[in-house]
Amino acid sequence: MTATSPAVPLDTARLLRRGFALEWATLSWNVIGIAVLAVAAIGARSVALAGFGLDSLIEIGASAVVIWELTGSGEERQKRALRLIGAGFALLALYLAAQSTLVLVTGLHPRHSPLGIAWTAVTAAVMFALAAGKARTGRALDNPVLRTEGRVTLVDGLLAAAVLLGLVLNSALGWWWADPAAGYVLVYYAVREVREIFLGEH
């Protein structure tokens, strides 16, 4: 018994360290991303890039929630933090819906954005890898909070891919409406996250 009993806590500690590392990597990437996306969005006048920058801010909050929870914070504090993230997603959906509609109505054409294309392409790959790591670690720890935040990271990767597609279509084919269309994709996922946070089981 002496030889085997430490195995569980040691394994749990290793998994917790991995969970922390994944969340800190996500948080750090998105902090850098906000600055990069701000420059790219202003330069290209892109609604989708601006919206993705706001999504990165929300992802930072989500990562902070998990880091907080993994350190042993109470369940009620965790629920309050999740509700704040849900409110952030709701504000993001409202902003993007209004901005995308305005762009379509006024016919504002976004410019070509090599920086935006490069960043969203790399971000999609990074977020998919981090999401897979969080899903595996969350299952191993039987931690629903880490698994849930892993879904948020997966959504972040999907949104990066959607924004990338809009930017490429605009640059290659002149489909300027692809940018606000990508904004509407972000609206859909933001609303879905709001429903999951406020109506789902956590």
Side-chain angles (χ1 to χ4, degrees), residues 94-165:
L94 289 172
Y95 167 79
L96 286 172
Q99 278 297 103
S100 296
T101 302
L102 180 64
V103 168
L104 285 174
V105 169
T106 59
L108 178 65
H109 288 43
R111 303 187 185 104
H112 175 56
S113 178
L115 175 60
I117 289 173
W119 182 259
T120 51
V122 177
T123 296
V126 170
M127 290 301 116
F128 288 144
L130 288 171
K134 291 175 188 181
R136 287 195 301 271
T137 306
R139 282 196 301 270
L141 281 170
D142 193 24
N143 186 308
V145 176
L146 184 56
R147 291 199 305 269
T148 298
E149 205 282 318
R151 287 204 314 274
V152 175
T153 305
L154 176 62
V155 167
D156 206 26
L158 293 171
L159 297 184
V163 174
L164 173 63
L165 179 61

Side-chain angles (χ1 to χ4, degrees), residues 4-153:
T4 57
S5 57
V8 173
L10 282 175
D11 190 53
T12 301
R14 179 179 60 82
L15 290 168
L16 282 171
R17 285 195 300 272
R18 184 191 301 169
F20 277 118
L22 289 165
E23 293 302 333
W24 279 113
T26 305
L27 193 151
S28 301
W29 185 272
N30 282 292
V31 167
I32 297 169
I34 288 174
V36 174
L37 289 164
V39 172
I42 293 170
R45 299 185 302 180
S46 169
V47 175
L49 282 172
F52 191 54
L54 290 174
D55 176 73
S56 296
L57 185 61
I58 293 169
E59 175 71 23
I60 289 171
S63 294
V65 167
V66 179
I67 291 170
W68 187 23
E69 193 273 337
L70 288 176
T71 58
S73 300
E75 184 179 347
E76 187 56 38
R77 292 173 67 193
Q78 170 197 313
K79 288 180 179 178
R80 285 201 302 269
L82 284 171
R83 286 195 291 268
L84 287 173
I85 294 172
F89 270 116
L91 290 173
L92 174 64
L94 289 172
Y95 167 79
L96 286 172
Q99 278 297 103
S100 296
T101 302
L102 180 64
V103 168
L104 285 174
V105 169
T106 59
L108 178 65
H109 288 43
R111 303 187 185 104
H112 175 56
S113 178
L115 175 60
I117 289 173
W119 182 259
T120 51
V122 177
T123 296
V126 170
M127 290 301 116
F128 288 144
L130 288 171
K134 291 175 188 181
R136 287 195 301 271
T137 306
R139 282 196 301 270
L141 281 170
D142 193 24
N143 186 308
V145 176
L146 184 56
R147 291 199 305 269
T148 298
E149 205 282 318
R151 287 204 314 274
V152 175
T153 305

